[in-house]
Amino acid sequence: MSESLSEKIIGAHLVEGRMEPGEQIGLRIDHTLTQDSTGTLAYLEFEAMGIPRVKTKLSLSFVDHNMLQNDFRNADDHRYLQSVAAKYGVVFSRPGNGICHQLYLERFARPAYTLLGSDSHTPTAGGMGMIAIGAGGLDVAVAMAGKPFYLEMPSILGVKLAGALSPFVSAKDVILEVLRKLSVKGGVNKILEYFGAGVRTLSVPERGTITNMGTETGATTSVFPSDEATRAFLKGQGREDQWMKLKADDDVQYNEVLEMNLKKIEPLIALPHSPDNVKAVSEVEGTPVNQVCIGSCTNSSLCDLKMVAALLKGKKIADNVSLTISPGSRQVLENLAASGELGHIIRAGARILENACGPCIGIGQAPPTDGVSLRTFNRNFHGRSGTQSAKVYLVSPETAVASALSGEITDPRKLGKYPEVRLQEKLIINDGMFIFPSEKPYAGEIVRGPNIKPLPRFQPIQAKLSGEVLLKLGDNVSTDDILPGGSEILSLRSNIPEISKYLFRYVDPSFAGRALEKGGGFIVGGENYGQGSSREHAALAPKYLGVKAILAKSFARIYLANLVNFGIMPLTFADKEDYTGIARGDLLELDAIGLKKTLRVKNVTRNVEIPVALVLSDHERVVLEAGGKIAVVNRQQTG
Ligand code: MIC
Ligand code: SF4
């Protein structure tokens, strides 16, 4: 029987279940990655499992998110991560080395492998012909312990690419077009598998831009074949020996197919405040711009920044614009410096930031009040930039440069001659900022600063749950709404009691206080609840404050898994109309005995019963019943 590329890789790693869409499957994980802001918790969880050394082929710990060391807390987190990596056999990427997804693609990604990462943009590595999935830190810790990763077998959406991109149109425009078609929830429980003649016209970093931002459709992951372009990229990285050819069978039947002609795509832009609010750049031209930020795991490769340098060469940015550049890695920066291209960027007036996530997660560069910020990033959720009144637009590097030069949103096709940008044959490669673990047992201590608090422990789920509806929200609530980023809050990622005080900080600042006062309760949401990041803090913190269940029309994949992992019931309305008949302050009761597939929530205030579904795999049911995954893993260790 003919197979898709996804099925080939999944099939080779399948340890449980059948590859039927919707079935629960268990996957063997070859590589894992963590980053600092999800990593501290992931390693605290790994420590709690009592395993002496990671059991994967390779596990990596990156420090790239919260780089601001305003006080001891981040520095302590980084030191903890370094010591824990040495002890458990994890490769440590030092602060300043670069963004995890960019570094992983450059130095470690290899065709036909599986990767699980505690960051939602882990699918970037799908550009290398891998199945790379984002998950909560606890699931990654379990994979580090050598256990399978469980997920619902996604259906495969084939994206057929024809033609080639026109000048000034780039990979970012391709994924914005996909988002325009699919929306932020159109990819949930799907794999976007790219195929067709257009694929070969795209380089690995371009593919990485597309698979990276496939996350914004809610997709489980995205994947490209491994072909000559893949071989060329690996050769540039001195890793050609890791190449293998990999593609879907020619006569494969995808569950669905989306056809796109690259030639027909024009420069696109996502308007505030959602990555799927996509228009043609030409439709919003002329809007004055205050800030332009180039970088992030979506658009910070050497290819991207070479294009930026070529377009800025000999020019100067507009007086009303602040332009920042965050290179994706030290390799990108060093090669730009050696070729002299960095000079074009500096001379044009750009502000060079660290090789890190930076403004993407609100670490500095918050826009001015009511400011317009154009970013080559992947998310523009309300307030994520750090300025609640700002309007953030998502664009390609080409559109970013055109707009930084003119001071207003500008179609890059107006820039004139299209520069030909080529990667030099011999890249400068330097792995000096990775610390590879020794084979010998670690003799040092794990260094824990005072802000690194032990993991809270929870009881098995109670048979009868009752409490008030603490908050009622609409569709597409993101984890940035639930637990925002920014340097102040990110520095509390290792301290659950403290970070819990920031839950729904901008949506409803009274939430944490009310939850504590009322002894917890329920939250009601609309469609795609919990979209966005993988931060498990957005589930763990509500649990800590006593949230018992969330009733929503539907959930985002990673968020649902995180709720189960920490023992919060994810309930979906059997009849979505019932959403309207429930209000903040209503008293609810739920008989949860046996965690049945269908349950009835009693709205005591309105004296009505609401049928709800608890859609869980058998594996998830066991986890939820036990009050969370750590309890289950520990039970397996001792039993
Ligand atoms: C993000 O882009 O939102 C983050 C910050 O990278 C998150 C991880 C986190 O919250 O630490 C993600 O995408 O998973
Ligand atoms: Fe970092 Fe932004 Fe990428 Fe998240 S989306 S990993 S914050 S660069």
Side-chain angles (χ1 to χ4, degrees):
M1 216 181 78
S2 52
E3 281 188 315
S4 63
L5 169 56
S6 311
E7 285 165 323
K8 288 184 187 191
I9 307 175
I10 291 175
H13 291 83
L14 197 67
V15 290
E16 232 178 280
R18 289 183 311 129
M19 287 195 291
E20 284 295 319
E23 292 274 315
Q24 179 78 10
I25 55 167
L27 276 189
R28 183 165 41 77
I29 297 299
D30 297 319
H31 290 178
T32 63
L33 74 75
T34 58
Q35 42 87 344
D36 51 307
S37 62
T38 55
T40 50
L41 213 52
Y43 293 105
L44 286 170
E45 288 153 356
F46 184 78
E47 284 190 272
M49 290 171 201
I51 296 195
R53 207 173 161 93
V54 292
K55 294 187 176 166
T56 47
K57 287 186 182 146
L58 179 70
S59 286
L60 298 133
S61 170
F62 295 90
V63 180
D64 55 358
H65 275 65
N66 200 0
M67 306 289 281
L68 280 187
Q69 299 183 204
N70 282 331
D71 62 22
F72 63 93
R73 286 178 294 193
N74 282 344
D76 282 1
D77 277 354
H78 301 173
R79 197 168 57 170
Y80 165 73
L81 290 169
Q82 185 165 345
S83 60
V84 95
K87 170 153 185 189
Y88 292 107
V90 174
V91 177
F92 183 68
S93 172
R94 299 180 61 186
N97 202 20
I99 305 174
C100 55
H101 309 303
Q102 173 67 26
L103 284 169
Y104 182 79
L105 200 58
E106 287 172 357
R107 306 305 303 142
F108 304 99
R110 46 193 297 178
Y113 272 50
T114 53
L115 166 72
L116 193 71
S118 64
D119 191 279
S120 66
H121 290 103
T122 303
T124 313
M128 182 68 88
M130 305 181 57
I131 291 293
I133 303 178
L138 183 46
D139 282 325
V140 177
V142 170
M144 287 193 274
K147 300 200 186 299
F149 172 60
Y150 291 96
L151 76 160
E152 174 178 327
M153 176 67 196
S155 69
I156 319 286
L157 166 59
V159 186
K160 185 172 185 185
L161 301 181
L165 291 169
S166 310
F168 295 106
V169 180
S170 64
K172 181 61 154 283
D173 301 308
V174 177
I175 191 61
L176 287 173
E177 182 67 37
V178 171
L179 269 153
R180 170 149 77 172
K181 293 198 157 81
L182 291 185
S183 88
V184 289
K185 54 183 198 308
V188 175
N189 290 329
K190 292 182 185 169
I191 296 181
L192 311 189
E193 178 171 317
Y194 290 83
F195 71 109
V199 164
R200 78 170 94 92
T201 67
L202 300 169
S203 67
V204 167
E206 289 174 301
R207 296 173 186 183
T209 296
I210 295 170
T211 53
N212 170 282
M213 209 174 164
T215 296
E216 274 49 69
T217 69
T220 303
T221 190
S222 304
V223 63
F224 271 86
S226 169
D227 56 9
E228 286 306 317
T230 322
R231 188 209 287 254
F233 179 82
L234 281 168
K235 187 170 178 209
Q237 294 292 333
R239 304 198 283 125
E240 196 182 357
D241 58 324
Q242 295 176 0
W243 179 76
M244 64 180 280
K245 192 173 161 69
L246 201 61
K247 67 179 191 62
D249 292 333
D250 289 336
D251 51 350
V252 62
Q253 295 286 318
Y254 288 108
N255 300 107
E256 287 166 85
V257 174
L258 181 68
E259 297 207 27
M260 284 170 64
N261 188 341
L262 297 175
K263 184 92 204 123
K264 292 204 175 131
I265 298 176
E266 56 180 324
L268 296 172
I269 182 164
L271 271 44
H273 296 285
S274 181
D276 63 356
N277 193 6
V278 176
K279 297 265 181 308
V281 172
S282 54
E283 287 178 71
V284 284
E285 261 194 316
T287 309
V289 172
N290 306 98
Q291 183 192 55
V292 175
C293 300
I294 297 179
S296 91
C297 55
T298 318
N299 277 127
S300 61
S301 68
L302 186 54
C303 288
D304 280 334
L305 295 197
K306 275 175 157 298
M307 175 56 78
V308 168
L311 294 175
L312 285 175
K313 188 175 174 187
K315 301 195 177 134
K316 185 182 162 290
I317 57 167
D319 290 349
N320 57 308
V321 171
S322 164
L323 169 66
T324 68
I325 310 275
S326 320
S329 70
R330 199 163 275 269
Q331 184 188 98
V332 171
L333 184 60
E334 199 176 352
N335 281 284
L336 285 177
S339 62
E341 287 157 300
L342 185 60
H344 307 322
I345 298 179
I346 295 172
R347 270 190 296 280
R351 301 164 66 174
I352 312 294
L353 306 183
E354 255 190 297
N355 313 316
C357 301
C360 182
I361 187 59
I363 304 297
Q365 311 310 126
T369 306
D370 300 330
V372 169
S373 177
L374 250 61
R375 301 175 161 212
T376 66
F377 306 168
N378 47 36
R379 288 183 176 144
N380 59 345
F381 300 139
H382 185 252
R384 180 171 160 105
S385 64
T387 302
Q388 294 302 309
S389 65
K391 294 179 199 68
V392 176
Y393 295 73
L394 306 174
V395 294
S396 69
E398 290 79 356
T399 303
V401 172
S403 309
L405 291 171
S406 67
E408 54 187 42
I409 296 179
T410 303
D411 189 321
R413 291 173 295 191
K414 296 202 170 138
L415 281 175
K417 194 168 173 308
Y418 186 60
E420 203 186 321
V421 170
R422 284 232 186 104
L423 278 190
Q424 57 262 45
E425 283 284 290
K426 271 227 102 22
L427 289 176
I428 303 166
I429 294 167
N430 178 353
D431 286 336
M433 292 293 276
F434 289 106
I435 301 179
F436 293 90
S438 158
E439 290 299 317
K440 298 202 197 95
Y442 176 62
E445 291 278 297
I446 290 190
V447 199
R448 256 175 263 272
N451 185 51
I452 302 179
K453 299 289 183 220
L455 285 175
R457 297 277 165 171
F458 302 116
Q459 297 304 316
I461 222 147
Q462 287 167 340
K464 289 205 189 301
L465 305 178
S466 69
E468 264 184 35
V469 175
L470 297 166
L471 196 57
K472 184 176 175 188
L473 299 162
D475 290 344
N476 297 321
V477 169
S478 77
T479 54
D480 282 308
D481 295 320
I482 301 171
L483 194 56
S487 58
E488 184 191 353
I489 307 182
L490 283 187
S491 60
L492 298 170
R493 285 287 182 97
S494 319
N495 186 338
I496 298 303
E498 276 306 308
I499 207 169
S500 301
K501 296 179 186 159
Y502 291 83
L503 264 177
F504 298 107
R505 175 68 176 225
Y506 302 112
V507 174
D508 178 355
S510 70
F511 179 84
R514 283 189 297 113
L516 276 180
E517 186 191 307
K518 312 241 177 214
F522 295 80
I523 294 173
V524 175
E527 298 280 6
N528 199 25
Y529 188 86
Q531 69 158 332
S533 87
S534 68
R535 65 191 71 148
E536 54 192 347
H537 306 73
L540 182 47
K543 175 75 181 182
Y544 184 78
L545 293 186
V547 172
K548 295 161 189 171
I550 299 181
L551 275 83
K553 291 185 188 169
S554 65
F555 288 93
R557 176 188 63 89
I558 306 179
Y559 192 67
L560 188 140
N562 286 339
L563 288 178
V564 173
N565 282 351
F566 293 104
I568 295 184
M569 293 181 72
L571 302 172
T572 43
F573 290 101
D575 178 357
K576 290 181 181 174
E577 289 297 309
D578 284 338
Y579 168 86
T580 45
I582 189 165
R584 179 168 153 177
D586 284 0
L587 179 64
L588 305 185
E589 278 176 6
L590 172 66
D591 184 344
I593 297 174
L595 297 179
K596 294 196 208 77
K597 286 190 178 127
T598 52
L599 297 163
R600 297 185 86 77
V601 173
K602 180 150 200 244
N603 188 333
V604 180
T605 310
R606 286 160 203 265
N607 199 21
V608 284
E609 287 210 340
I610 306 164
V612 293
L614 181 61
V615 186
L616 297 177
S617 65
D618 295 346
H619 182 77
E620 286 170 329
R621 214 164 283 279
V622 172
V623 170
L624 191 59
E625 209 154 9
K629 194 169 245 176
I630 297 189
V632 175
V633 175
N634 284 347
R635 213 156 60 195
Q636 287 168 352
Q637 295 299 113
T638 48

